[in-house]
Amino acid sequence: QVQLVQSGAEVKKPGASVKVSCKASGYKFTSYFIHWVRQAPGKGLEWMGIINSSSGSTNYAQMLQGRVTMTRDTSTSTVYMDLSSLRPEDTAVYFCTRGGQNTFFDYWGQGTLVAVSS
Amino acid sequence: QSVLTQPPSASGTPGQRVTISCSGSSSNIGSNVVNWYQQLPGTAPKVLIYNNDQRPSGVPGRFSGSKSGTSASLAISGLQSEDEADYYCVAWDDSLNGHVVFGGGTKLTVL
């Protein structure tokens, strides 16, 4: 069965970086894109960006340009989301989700809480 | 604020019909399909409606979606207590090299 398993919760100080992983299984990894979506406490869903698991090409949300980097390792079917210069407002649950160059997200990771606090 | 506009809250009693609206623009809803997601507390979102009006297998027929111009709506008929959740519309936006835009979410309360 299709699964996306994310890395565990992180606590970071402002200005630090965080790298969240998303390991895919149960399907051909390179046939799908992976999107990252985050949700601040009590807030709505915010799209962060997309990575083509085959080519590695990316497209990031404008408001995160320069701070977010998405990469993939096809040998381990894992996608990584790196967010730098962390601010308290980056505190959120970060989800990876499988999709295409569209908004049909059929499988989701369990979510990773990233807390940013001094 | 979100690119797609949803009412922040909606409510209904069991058995009632409730609709949730989602308003966008020509670069998103006006030119791309709309999908709807349901998010129960503490869980990841789940796709409820895709391609404007299609239900994935396993989603009850009580849920339906529609789109007209730059707006879309989700309807839930025969409201049940387990429908109490947050609902989000989402669409691809063709501006800025293409990106995904979400609605702000609607919290549905079953009275």
Side-chain angles (χ1 to χ4, degrees):
Chain A
Q1 72 283 21
V2 174
Q3 280 192 302
L4 298 174
V5 179
Q6 299 182 219
S7 49
E10 303 260 14
V11 179
K12 296 290 183 180
K13 293 197 181 303
S17 297
V18 69
K19 192 167 189 172
V20 180
S21 66
C22 171
K23 182 172 177 57
S25 62
Y27 71 96
K28 186 177 180 185
F29 177 71
T30 52
S31 293
Y32 291 84
F33 292 66
I34 293 289
H35 297 249
W36 287 89
V37 175
R38 70 179 181 179
Q39 185 170 37
K43 302 295 184 183
L45 302 171
E46 179 188 12
W47 183 77
M48 300 180 66
I50 179 177
I51 182 167
N52 181 329
S53 304
S54 178
S55 68
S57 64
T58 55
N59 183 11
Y60 303 134
Q62 188 175 35
M63 64 177 298
L64 293 173
Q65 289 275 2
R67 290 206 300 138
V68 67
T69 304
M70 296 175 189
T71 57
R72 95 285 187 228
D73 182 342
T74 56
S75 69
T76 60
S77 300
T78 303
V79 172
Y80 299 92
M81 188 284 298
D82 201 316
L83 188 61
S84 62
S85 303
L86 288 168
R87 310 157 182 167
E89 52 266 37
D90 292 318
T91 294
V93 174
Y94 289 73
F95 294 101
C96 61
T97 180
R98 189 182 83 160
Q101 278 195 296
N102 52 45
T103 58
F104 183 70
F105 309 133
D106 56 358
Y107 289 91
W108 294 69
Q110 81 276 20
T112 297
L113 174 63
V114 175
V116 183
S117 173
S118 54
Chain B
Q1 62 272 28
S2 304
V3 173
L4 304 183
T5 302
Q6 295 179 236
S9 63
S11 63
T13 56
Q16 267 191 331
R17 183 176 188 268
V18 170
T19 62
I20 297 171
S21 63
C22 175
S23 176
S25 67
S26 58
S27 63
N28 43 65
I29 293 179
S31 50
N32 294 290
V33 300
V34 176
N35 297 330
W36 290 89
Y37 291 81
Q38 177 192 59
Q39 187 179 33
L40 298 170
T43 68
K46 162 193 160 186
V47 60
L48 206 59
I49 297 289
Y50 68 99
N51 287 0
N52 305 322
D53 58 10
Q54 301 298 301
R55 279 189 316 277
S57 61
V59 173
R62 308 183 289 104
F63 295 91
S64 62
S66 64
K67 185 184 106 167
S68 178
T70 59
S71 293
S73 64
L74 172 71
I76 310 171
S77 59
L79 200 61
Q80 299 182 5
S81 58
E82 57 261 38
D83 299 334
E84 188 160 292
D86 294 323
Y87 294 84
Y88 295 89
C89 59
V90 59
W92 189 265
D93 192 302
D94 294 330
S95 65
L96 301 172
N97 291 325
H99 59 288
V100 173
V101 289
F102 280 96
T106 298
K107 180 169 183 58
L108 175 63
T109 301
V110 181
L111 303 170

